[in-house]
Coordinates of all heavy atoms in Angstrom, one line a residue:
A1291 N 0.8 -1.2 0.0 CA 0.0 0.0 0.0 C 0.8 1.3 0.0 O 0.3 2.4 0.0 CB -0.9 0.0 1.2
S1292 N 2.2 1.1 0.0 CA 3.0 2.3 0.1 C 3.2 3.1 -1.2 O 3.1 2.5 -2.3 CB 4.4 1.9 0.6 OG 5.1 1.1 -0.5
P1293 N 3.4 4.4 -1.1 CA 3.6 5.2 -2.3 C 4.9 4.8 -3.0 O 5.0 5.0 -4.2 CB 3.7 6.6 -1.7 CG 4.0 6.5 -0.3 CD 3.3 5.2 0.2
E1294 N 5.8 4.3 -2.2 CA 7.1 3.9 -2.9 C 6.9 2.7 -3.8 O 7.5 2.6 -4.9 CB 8.1 3.5 -1.8 CG 8.7 4.6 -1.0 CD 7.7 5.1 0.1 OE1 6.7 4.4 0.4 OE2 7.9 6.2 0.7
L1295 N 6.0 1.7 -3.4 CA 5.8 0.6 -4.3 C 5.0 1.1 -5.5 O 5.3 0.6 -6.7 CB 5.0 -0.5 -3.6 CG 5.0 -1.8 -4.5 CD1 5.5 -3.0 -3.7 CD2 3.6 -2.0 -5.0
A1296 N 4.1 2.0 -5.4 CA 3.3 2.5 -6.5 C 4.2 3.2 -7.5 O 4.1 3.1 -8.7 CB 2.2 3.5 -6.0
E1297 N 5.2 4.0 -6.9 CA 6.2 4.7 -7.8 C 7.0 3.7 -8.5 O 7.3 3.8 -9.7 CB 7.0 5.6 -6.9 CG 8.0 6.4 -7.8 CD 9.0 7.3 -6.9 OE1 8.8 7.3 -5.7 OE2 9.8 7.9 -7.5
A1298 N 7.5 2.6 -7.8 CA 8.3 1.6 -8.5 C 7.5 0.9 -9.6 O 8.1 0.7 -10.7 CB 8.8 0.6 -7.4
A1299 N 6.3 0.7 -9.3 CA 5.5 0.0 -10.4 C 5.4 0.8 -11.6 O 5.5 0.3 -12.7 CB 4.1 -0.3 -9.8
E1300 N 5.2 2.2 -11.5 CA 5.0 3.0 -12.6 C 6.3 3.1 -13.4 O 6.4 3.2 -14.6 CB 4.5 4.4 -12.2 CG 3.0 4.4 -11.9 CD 2.2 3.8 -13.0 OE1 2.4 4.3 -14.2 OE2 1.4 2.9 -12.8
L1301 N 7.5 3.2 -12.7 CA 8.8 3.3 -13.3 C 9.0 2.0 -14.1 O 9.5 2.0 -15.2 CB 9.9 3.5 -12.3 CG 9.9 5.0 -11.7 CD1 10.8 5.0 -10.5 CD2 10.3 6.0 -12.8
A1302 N 8.7 0.8 -13.5 CA 8.9 -0.5 -14.1 C 8.0 -0.6 -15.3 O 8.4 -1.1 -16.4 CB 8.7 -1.6 -13.1
R1303 N 6.8 -0.1 -15.2 CA 5.9 -0.2 -16.3 C 6.4 0.7 -17.5 O 6.3 0.2 -18.7 CB 4.5 0.3 -16.0 CG 3.4 0.0 -17.0 CD 2.3 1.0 -17.0 NE 1.5 1.1 -15.8 CZ 0.4 0.4 -15.6 NH1 -0.1 -0.4 -16.6 NH2 -0.3 0.5 -14.5
T1304 N 7.0 1.8 -17.2 CA 7.5 2.7 -18.3 C 8.6 1.9 -19.0 O 8.7 1.9 -20.3 CB 8.1 4.0 -17.7 OG1 7.0 4.7 -17.1 CG2 8.8 4.8 -18.8
A1305 N 9.5 1.3 -18.3 CA 10.6 0.5 -18.9 C 10.0 -0.7 -19.7 O 10.5 -1.0 -20.8 CB 11.6 0.0 -17.9
A1306 N 9.1 -1.4 -19.1 CA 8.5 -2.6 -19.8 C 7.8 -2.2 -21.1 O 7.8 -2.9 -22.1 CB 7.5 -3.3 -18.9
D1307 N 7.1 -1.0 -21.0 CA 6.4 -0.5 -22.2 C 7.4 -0.3 -23.4 O 7.1 -0.5 -24.5 CB 5.6 0.7 -21.9 CG 4.3 0.4 -21.2 OD1 3.9 -0.8 -21.0 OD2 3.7 1.4 -20.7
A1308 N 8.5 0.3 -23.0 CA 9.5 0.6 -24.0 C 10.2 -0.7 -24.6 O 10.6 -0.7 -25.7 CB 10.6 1.5 -23.4
A1309 N 10.2 -1.7 -23.7 CA 10.8 -3.0 -24.2 C 10.2 -3.6 -25.4 O 10.9 -4.2 -26.2 CB 10.8 -4.0 -23.0
T1310 N 8.9 -3.4 -25.5 CA 8.2 -4.1 -26.6 C 7.3 -3.1 -27.4 O 6.3 -3.5 -28.0 CB 7.2 -5.2 -26.0 OG1 6.3 -4.6 -25.1 CG2 8.1 -6.3 -25.4
A1311 N 7.7 -1.8 -27.4 CA 7.0 -0.8 -28.2 C 7.0 -1.2 -29.6 O 8.0 -1.6 -30.2 CB 7.6 0.6 -27.9
P1312 N 5.9 -1.0 -30.3 CA 5.9 -1.3 -31.8 C 6.8 -0.4 -32.6 O 7.1 0.7 -32.2 CB 4.4 -1.0 -32.1 CG 3.9 -0.1 -31.1 CD 4.6 -0.4 -29.9
A1313 N 7.2 -0.9 -33.7 CA 8.1 -0.1 -34.6 C 7.4 1.2 -34.9 O 6.3 1.3 -35.2 CB 8.4 -0.9 -35.8
G1314 N 8.2 2.3 -34.8 CA 7.7 3.6 -35.1 C 7.2 4.4 -33.9 O 7.0 5.6 -34.0
A1315 N 7.0 3.7 -32.8 CA 6.6 4.4 -31.6 C 7.7 5.2 -31.1 O 8.9 4.9 -31.3 CB 6.1 3.4 -30.5
A1316 N 7.4 6.3 -30.3 CA 8.4 7.2 -29.8 C 9.4 6.5 -28.9 O 10.6 6.9 -28.9 CB 7.7 8.3 -29.1
T1317 N 8.9 5.4 -28.2 CA 9.8 4.8 -27.2 C 10.4 3.5 -27.8 O 11.1 2.7 -27.1 CB 9.1 4.4 -25.9 OG1 7.9 3.6 -26.3 CG2 8.6 5.7 -25.2
A1318 N 10.1 3.2 -29.1 CA 10.5 1.9 -29.7 C 12.1 1.8 -29.8 O 12.7 2.7 -30.4 CB 9.9 1.7 -31.0
P1319 N 12.7 0.8 -29.2 CA 14.1 0.6 -29.4 C 14.4 0.0 -30.8 O 13.5 -0.7 -31.4 CB 14.5 -0.4 -28.3 CG 13.2 -1.2 -28.1 CD 12.1 -0.3 -28.4
A1320 N 15.5 0.2 -31.4 CA 16.0 -0.4 -32.6 C 16.4 -1.8 -32.2 O 17.4 -2.0 -31.6 CB 17.1 0.3 -33.2
D1321 N 15.5 -2.8 -32.5 CA 15.7 -4.2 -32.0 C 15.7 -5.2 -33.1 O 14.6 -5.5 -33.6 CB 14.6 -4.4 -30.9 CG 14.9 -5.6 -30.1 OD1 15.9 -6.4 -30.4 OD2 14.2 -5.8 -29.1
P1322 N 16.8 -5.8 -33.4 CA 16.8 -6.9 -34.4 C 16.5 -8.2 -33.9 O 16.4 -9.2 -34.6 CB 18.3 -6.8 -34.9 CG 19.0 -6.5 -33.6 CD 18.1 -5.5 -32.9
V1323 N 16.2 -8.4 -32.6 CA 16.0 -9.7 -31.9 C 14.5 -10.0 -31.8 O 13.7 -9.1 -31.4 CB 16.7 -9.6 -30.6 CG1 16.5 -11.0 -29.8 CG2 18.2 -9.4 -30.7
A1324 N 14.2 -11.2 -32.1 CA 12.8 -11.7 -31.8 C 12.6 -11.8 -30.3 O 13.5 -12.2 -29.6 CB 12.6 -13.0 -32.5
R1325 N 11.5 -11.4 -29.8 CA 11.2 -11.3 -28.4 C 9.9 -12.1 -28.1 O 9.0 -11.5 -27.6 CB 11.1 -9.9 -27.9 CG 12.3 -9.0 -28.2 CD 13.5 -9.1 -27.3 NE 14.5 -8.1 -27.6 CZ 15.6 -8.0 -26.9 NH1 15.9 -8.8 -25.9 NH2 16.5 -7.0 -27.3
P1326 N 9.9 -13.4 -28.3 CA 8.6 -14.1 -28.2 C 8.0 -14.0 -26.8 O 6.8 -13.8 -26.6 CB 8.9 -15.5 -28.6 CG 10.4 -15.7 -28.4 CD 10.9 -14.3 -28.7
L1327 N 8.8 -14.3 -25.8 CA 8.2 -14.3 -24.4 C 7.9 -12.9 -23.9 O 6.9 -12.7 -23.2 CB 9.1 -15.1 -23.5 CG 9.2 -16.6 -23.7 CD1 10.3 -17.2 -22.9 CD2 7.8 -17.2 -23.2
A1328 N 8.8 -11.9 -24.2 CA 8.5 -10.6 -23.8 C 7.3 -10.0 -24.4 O 6.4 -9.4 -23.8 CB 9.7 -9.7 -24.1
V1329 N 7.1 -10.2 -25.7 CA 6.0 -9.7 -26.5 C 4.7 -10.3 -26.0 O 3.7 -9.7 -25.8 CB 6.2 -9.9 -28.0 CG1 4.9 -9.6 -28.7 CG2 7.3 -9.0 -28.5
A1330 N 4.7 -11.6 -25.8 CA 3.5 -12.4 -25.3 C 3.1 -11.9 -24.0 O 1.9 -11.7 -23.7 CB 3.8 -13.9 -25.3
N1331 N 4.0 -11.6 -23.1 CA 3.6 -11.1 -21.7 C 3.2 -9.7 -21.8 O 2.3 -9.3 -21.1 CB 4.8 -11.3 -20.8 CG 4.9 -12.7 -20.2 OD1 4.2 -13.0 -19.2 ND2 5.8 -13.5 -20.7
A1332 N 3.8 -8.9 -22.7 CA 3.4 -7.5 -22.8 C 2.0 -7.3 -23.3 O 1.3 -6.3 -23.1 CB 4.4 -6.7 -23.6

C-alpha cells in the first residue's frame, strides 16, 4: 500500500512498455532480436 511501491510499479511499467513498443513508436528501441516471451507477456 506504500507510495514507494506505487512509484516503483510506474517506473517499471515505463521500462516494460519501451521494451516491446511497436516499430515507429516514440519509445521503440531499434531491436533486431525476436522477443517471443517478452511480447507475449506485454
Side-chain angles (χ1 to χ4, degrees):
S1292 68
E1294 290 79 12
L1295 189 126
E1297 183 184 356
E1300 285 307 308
L1301 289 169
R1303 192 208 297 265
T1304 298
D1307 285 350
T1310 57
T1317 58
D1321 193 351
V1323 177
R1325 306 278 187 179
L1327 287 168
V1329 169
N1331 277 280

